Amino acid sequence: MNEQETLDQLDECIVNRLGERQMKLERMEEMERNVRTVPFIQKPVVWITTVAAACVLALLVVTPLFQTTTSPLDEVGIGCPQLTEYRAAMPETAEIQRLLDQKQWDDAMNTTEKALRQSDEAVEQLASTISETDAAQQYELDAEREMNGELRWTYIYLLVHAERYAEAQKELSIYLQQPAEHHEKAKALADALKKK
Amino acid sequence: MIQWIKKRKDYTDIEAVEALQRRDRRMEDWFYHTQKRYFDEKFNQVFFDKDRKQEIFQCAFLKLWTEIDNGRISVRDEKVCRQQNDGVYRPMICTLQTFLMAFAKNEYRELIRSNKEEYVAELFDDDGSAEVTMTFDSAESIEEQKNRIIDACIQQMSPSCVEILTLFYYEGKSLDEILNLRGDKNTSKNGLKSAKSKCMNLLRERVTTEMERYHIAV
């Protein structure tokens, strides 16, 4: 290799190392710029916190939508019973109606149950003593049975409202033994309760 | 979770050296920023020239990075070692951070001592008596040895010389372009041309001398 070629080769090595040095300097400038220009929003901790918060919020909003809160009463379309027609027959029915109107469910439940048990006794007693030929007695028994049915229907409503489904089903089976005003709805309610 | 978010990934000096030698850009970023943070924290305790802060850091970091890149600092037997003047690699007794600060102190002293060279005569490094002293591991390639010698010789050149040579030979800029870029640092195109030639000749001479001293073919 002649002298010129040697010099050329040496120059090439020198230029390469100058280049390496310059690339390092440029890289340092780039890293220095990165320190100053990373926006707040691009910092990993911001991203992680934002995503976590969004997930929690989404869970809080979406979860209630998937929860089943439909009452069997709503499913079947059963409204709050009205006992106004029977107010004159029993003082308790007026009280029960008042409590239902004021949504005092617990008190309504207790009063209704008490009235229902009294009515059950009255029906049993009348049925055992009635004379088949006595139209007045027969009429009284029919009226008592009708009242009993309404009371039982109200009691069933309150039991389902309180989610006491087992007791409600028991009362429904009694209710459905006799022809009743709310027979169709009672049947639908019994089916709905079976699914619970 | 807050602790996990706050905690930055820390690398050991061994991991840093090995990754930098692999030209790992993520490590370059991490290493630069870690050293910068440390330097900024310690700067006020050690130096008092805030105007030169960035310059001092850049020179020191470049020096450290070059030594890692050309293998003078490398990992041997699972320890970070630096080749001493007798050619032997010895484990470093301080961290890379401490070493960086040592370079920075040297840079600071040089800056105070030299007081800027603006004339052609001052382009050259004092009287050229400073020698490049190093020896090489027999396992190193000729290429590695040459690179280390050239890096050391470049290190000894004045910043102005290095700048002119880099702009002309590496970036391929014309003398007119260099004159514009350097502004008042050169008075004329002829002066610049003369400086360029003198700088390159000096660098060639030094590199050749060192290579011959270590019996490395040019």
Side-chain angles (χ1 to χ4, degrees):
Chain A
M1 193 186 292
N2 64 38
E3 197 179 323
Q4 189 54 48
E5 282 172 355
T6 306
L7 274 177
D8 288 344
Q9 212 176 42
L10 176 62
D11 282 2
E12 196 182 320
C13 292
I14 288 172
V15 172
N16 279 343
R17 296 318 290 172
L18 284 170
E20 280 292 328
R21 184 182 174 281
Q22 184 59 23
M23 283 197 290
K24 284 189 178 66
L25 281 171
E26 285 168 4
R27 183 78 180 97
M28 283 161 65
E29 278 173 30
E30 182 190 335
M31 290 189 285
E32 188 63 31
R33 278 197 301 275
N34 286 346
V35 171
R36 291 187 203 131
T37 60
V38 173
F40 178 74
I41 198 71
Q42 285 181 9
K43 292 182 181 175
V45 66
V46 174
W47 261 107
I48 290 165
T49 311
T50 307
V51 169
C55 287
V56 169
L57 199 63
L59 271 171
L60 287 172
V61 168
V62 167
T63 302
L65 297 176
F66 288 95
Q67 285 175 350
T68 308
T69 55
T70 311
S71 166
L73 295 171
D74 296 325
E75 281 177 38
V76 179
I78 297 171
C80 190
Q82 297 298 314
L83 294 167
T84 48
E85 195 179 323
Y86 301 93
R87 196 173 292 171
M90 279 174 82
E92 290 87 348
T93 54
E95 177 62 10
I96 292 167
Q97 191 62 57
R98 187 187 67 77
L99 291 168
L100 287 172
D101 291 342
Q102 288 177 4
K103 296 184 173 32
Q104 292 181 38
W105 305 117
D106 289 344
D107 290 343
M109 171 94 76
N110 293 335
T111 309
T112 306
E113 187 186 1
K114 192 175 162 192
L116 177 62
R117 298 306 167 223
Q118 285 175 353
S119 177
D120 282 342
E121 283 178 19
V123 166
E124 197 179 315
Q125 195 179 18
L126 276 171
S128 64
T129 57
I130 194 168
S131 165
E132 286 180 11
T133 55
D134 192 338
Q137 281 185 343
Q138 194 64 47
Y139 177 79
E140 195 181 341
L141 179 59
D142 288 343
E144 192 60 50
R145 276 187 176 141
E146 205 171 324
M147 167 63 83
N148 183 268
E150 287 306 303
L151 282 170
R152 178 159 272 107
W153 182 242
T154 304
Y155 188 50
I156 289 165
Y157 176 87
L158 288 164
L159 283 170
V160 175
H161 191 274
E163 296 183 3
R164 286 159 62 174
Y165 297 137
E167 291 167 76
Q169 279 177 315
K170 191 177 153 196
E171 294 299 327
L172 270 169
S173 66
I174 300 171
Y175 184 82
L176 288 167
Q177 284 170 8
Q178 301 284 338
E181 187 180 338
H182 311 287
H183 191 90
E184 291 303 316
K185 286 204 172 167
K187 221 163 159 297
L189 183 60
D191 290 338
L193 287 177
K194 275 181 193 159
K195 293 175 193 168
K196 290 285 178 191
Chain B
M1 187 179 171
I2 291 170
Q3 287 298 327
W4 174 74
I5 288 168
K6 277 187 180 171
K7 184 176 165 50
R8 281 188 286 261
K9 168 75 176 160
D10 283 331
Y11 297 95
T12 62
D13 281 354
I14 290 175
E15 287 169 330
V17 169
E18 286 176 337
L20 287 171
Q21 286 177 341
R22 281 196 312 267
R23 305 282 174 100
D24 185 327
R25 286 180 71 87
R26 282 182 65 180
M27 179 55 77
E28 286 172 4
D29 270 321
W30 176 84
F31 191 66
Y32 180 85
H33 294 133
T34 306
Q35 302 312 318
K36 187 87 197 309
R37 265 195 302 274
Y38 183 79
F39 180 81
D40 285 344
E41 279 168 29
K42 302 295 175 193
F43 180 83
N44 291 335
Q45 300 170 22
V46 180
F47 309 110
F48 304 98
D49 191 341
K50 287 194 178 174
D51 293 337
R52 300 282 181 89
K53 185 177 167 184
Q54 182 63 12
E55 190 183 344
I56 291 168
F57 173 74
Q58 287 222 311
C59 290
F61 186 84
L62 182 63
K63 207 176 257 188
L64 178 64
W65 192 0
T66 301
E67 287 207 1
I68 293 172
D69 190 42
N70 68 20
R72 187 165 183 192
I73 293 174
S74 59
V75 177
R76 302 202 169 205
D77 296 328
E78 295 178 18
K79 287 182 189 143
V80 178
C81 300
R82 186 169 184 257
Q83 192 180 38
Q84 306 301 309
N85 290 340
D86 59 3
V88 176
Y89 275 89
R90 291 197 177 86
M92 288 176 68
I93 57 170
C94 63
T95 62
L96 292 175
Q97 264 176 359
T98 308
F99 207 63
L100 175 81
M101 293 305 288
F103 276 151
K105 282 181 204 169
N106 278 343
E107 285 303 317
Y108 181 62
R109 279 190 218 111
E110 281 299 313
L111 278 172
I112 289 178
R113 187 178 66 84
S114 65
N115 256 350
K116 260 324 145 221
E117 65 301 320
E118 294 302 332
Y119 302 103
V120 168
E122 291 176 8
L123 283 176
F124 309 105
D125 184 29
D126 54 291
D127 58 359
S129 62
E131 281 186 348
V132 171
T133 52
M134 57 178 66
T135 48
F136 303 99
D137 195 306
S138 56
E140 287 170 333
S141 69
I142 300 292
E143 194 67 31
E144 283 173 345
Q145 294 173 19
K146 274 185 185 174
N147 286 344
R148 208 152 331 141
I149 287 174
I150 296 173
D151 284 342
C153 292
I154 290 173
Q155 203 84 271
Q156 286 200 323
M157 301 290 286
S158 71
S160 260
C161 248
V162 177
E163 186 185 25
I164 291 169
L165 293 177
T166 304
L167 287 170
F168 188 83
Y169 288 102
Y170 175 67
E171 293 190 19
K173 290 203 178 337
S174 67
L175 290 174
D176 287 319
E177 285 170 326
I178 295 172
L179 207 57
N180 282 336
L181 282 167
R182 282 174 56 81
D184 296 337
K185 288 181 188 173
N186 292 99
T187 51
S188 67
K189 189 172 169 180
N190 279 338
L192 178 61
K193 189 176 176 182
S194 170
K196 186 257 307 172
S197 296
K198 284 181 181 175
C199 286
M200 192 53 171
N201 287 337
L202 180 63
L203 186 53
R204 271 196 208 111
E205 191 186 311
R206 283 186 171 172
V207 169
T208 307
T209 304
E210 292 304 315
M211 284 190 179
E212 282 170 1
R213 197 146 75 87
Y214 295 105
H215 310 293
I216 297 169
V218 174

